[in-house]
Amino acid sequence: MLIVRRDTDQLRRYVHLGTGNYHSRTARIYTDFSLLTSEPQLSEEVATVFNTLTGLAGYPGLKKMMVAPFDMHSRLIKLIERERDNAQAGKPARIVAKLNALVDQEIIEKLYEASCAEVTINLIVRGICCLRPKIPDLSENIRVISIVGRFLEHSRIFHFENAGQPRVFLSSADWMPRNFYRRIELAFPVENPALRDQIINEVLPSFWNDRVKARELQPNGTYRRLKPEGSEPRAQAQWHFREVSRERAKKMTGSKKKSRADKLIPITVASDKPAAPAQSRTDPQPAPSAFAKATADKPPSTATTKQS
């Protein structure tokens, strides 16, 4: 969304970028991230995208945002290759991505290359994932988990360590050919240090520490449910984010009202006592009608056969 407003000193652009849709129904069950900003260069790039879509200008290439179907795929490839090269040079290298689906073959091959170069790769893929993790000499440095909970995980987050100068992107695109080549998709950077650190140090670790709804993809394509080990807590990412949002809402509104507890559905437990035997019941017979009485009192008629 792009809004141009005349402020007291100048015209200023405001943009709202998100990983999901503007839909009143899905907003109740989808989880997404969005960014509201008036940062000049990012706002100008959003205006350029709208000009491209309306046919007023060709796509000139952007510095901050990646746009499909123009350059998102090629620039993601370069970001993965940079992590591979950093690892080979002994620099910090890591890739963390949260997606709905991972299907694109070239992206998968580049992730395999990065894994072989000792890049740590953690993927949160809710749906289909064509990559096989933990295969020796191919993907042993790649872990993949899936989280399916009360809300539909819909956000896309890309984190590249970038030799100690991390870069974080939010995006509307999954890593699939249809998103890279047949749709208009955006990936935009989170450059505010506080927001970027919150995603790196709080949001993404909360998913990885989930021990209730998380399942880990195995080399053979099956999933294993993650459970707490030892004193590890039964952490649940969606529950954590919901409680954090409630506490923030309380502070903003100054409300002292207690949070509404979830409505629990009672579970009926079968009793250990043997069930009492069912008592036999004799249904009362209906009273005979007048026609039935008359028929019963009448003697049976004698059938005669005519001899020929």
Side-chain angles (χ1 to χ4, degrees):
M1 178 185 293
L2 170 64
I3 299 174
V4 181
R5 173 183 172 182
R6 183 182 296 278
D7 288 340
T8 55
D9 54 343
Q10 61 179 347
L11 287 175
R12 183 173 282 108
R13 296 187 181 101
Y14 295 87
V15 297
H16 184 242
L17 301 167
T19 63
N21 309 318
Y22 291 114
H23 197 292
S24 58
R25 294 183 64 182
T26 59
R28 293 178 175 272
I29 56 175
Y30 285 22
T31 68
D32 278 295
F33 286 85
S34 66
L35 176 68
L36 178 63
T37 180
S38 61
E39 196 276 325
Q41 185 173 357
L42 191 60
S43 302
E44 183 178 352
E45 290 190 357
V46 172
T48 300
V49 172
F50 276 110
N51 288 335
T52 301
L53 296 179
T54 56
L56 298 178
Y59 180 71
L62 304 176
K63 182 178 180 180
K64 292 191 174 185
M65 294 199 308
M66 298 180 281
V67 184
F70 303 109
D71 61 0
M72 182 183 291
H73 185 264
S74 60
R75 291 177 66 178
L76 280 173
I77 292 291
K78 291 180 180 179
L79 289 170
I80 297 173
E81 290 176 340
R82 180 183 297 175
E83 296 301 314
R84 177 201 63 192
D85 297 341
N86 288 339
Q88 292 173 342
K91 300 178 182 179
R94 181 172 59 153
I95 299 172
V96 183
K98 182 177 181 294
L99 310 161
N100 292 342
L102 173 54
V103 176
D104 186 79
Q105 182 177 352
E106 191 173 357
I107 291 284
I108 292 173
E109 291 175 354
K110 291 299 178 181
L111 291 173
Y112 286 152
E113 289 182 11
S115 173
C116 293
E118 303 298 327
V119 177
T120 300
I121 302 173
N122 294 330
L123 304 176
I124 306 164
V125 186
R126 173 176 56 83
I128 183 172
C129 180
C130 295
L131 178 147
R132 290 293 183 91
K134 297 182 177 181
I135 297 177
D137 300 324
L138 179 66
S139 59
E140 54 191 339
N141 292 308
I142 303 177
R143 287 187 62 198
V144 181
I145 65 170
S146 171
I147 294 180
V148 178
R150 173 179 176 180
F151 303 103
L152 181 75
E153 291 295 337
H154 196 248
S155 58
R156 291 88 165 183
I157 307 171
F158 315 147
H159 167 217
F160 300 93
E161 185 61 28
N162 193 33
Q165 298 179 342
R167 302 190 67 186
V168 173
F169 295 86
L170 300 179
S171 179
S172 61
D174 292 312
W175 289 357
M176 305 177 69
R178 71 179 187 186
N179 297 93
F180 289 137
Y181 303 117
R182 297 192 293 274
R183 291 184 179 180
I184 302 294
E185 307 275 11
L186 295 179
F188 52 94
V190 179
E191 297 179 319
N192 180 282
L195 296 178
R196 183 185 61 216
D197 292 345
Q198 183 181 6
I199 292 174
I200 295 174
N201 300 322
E202 179 185 351
V203 174
L204 292 174
S206 294
F207 289 115
W208 279 104
N209 294 331
D210 193 308
R211 292 299 179 268
V212 178
K213 297 297 184 180
R215 289 165 174 79
E216 185 170 9
L217 181 60
Q218 304 301 304
N220 61 0
T222 62
Y223 283 84
R224 179 180 64 87
R225 187 165 189 170
L226 297 179
K227 298 180 180 180
E229 297 181 0
S231 59
E232 198 174 25
R234 282 177 54 85
Q236 185 175 348
Q238 291 188 358
W239 182 281
H240 167 73
F241 294 137
R242 189 182 64 175
E243 293 306 308
V244 168
S245 65
R246 284 179 173 176
E247 291 301 320
R248 288 178 179 170
K250 282 184 182 180
K251 292 180 180 179
M252 292 176 64
T253 60
S255 173
K256 297 182 180 180
K257 186 177 180 181
K258 293 184 178 180
S259 300
R260 178 184 61 82
D262 283 345
K263 184 177 180 181
L264 301 179
I265 301 175
I267 300 175
T268 303
V269 180
S271 175
D272 295 334
K273 297 180 181 180
Q279 296 181 356
S280 60
R281 185 183 67 179
T282 304
D283 294 333
Q285 298 296 326
S289 62
F291 175 78
K293 286 184 178 180
T295 305
D297 295 339
K298 185 178 179 180
S301 59
T302 303
T304 57
T305 304
K306 184 178 180 180
Q307 300 291 334
S308 57

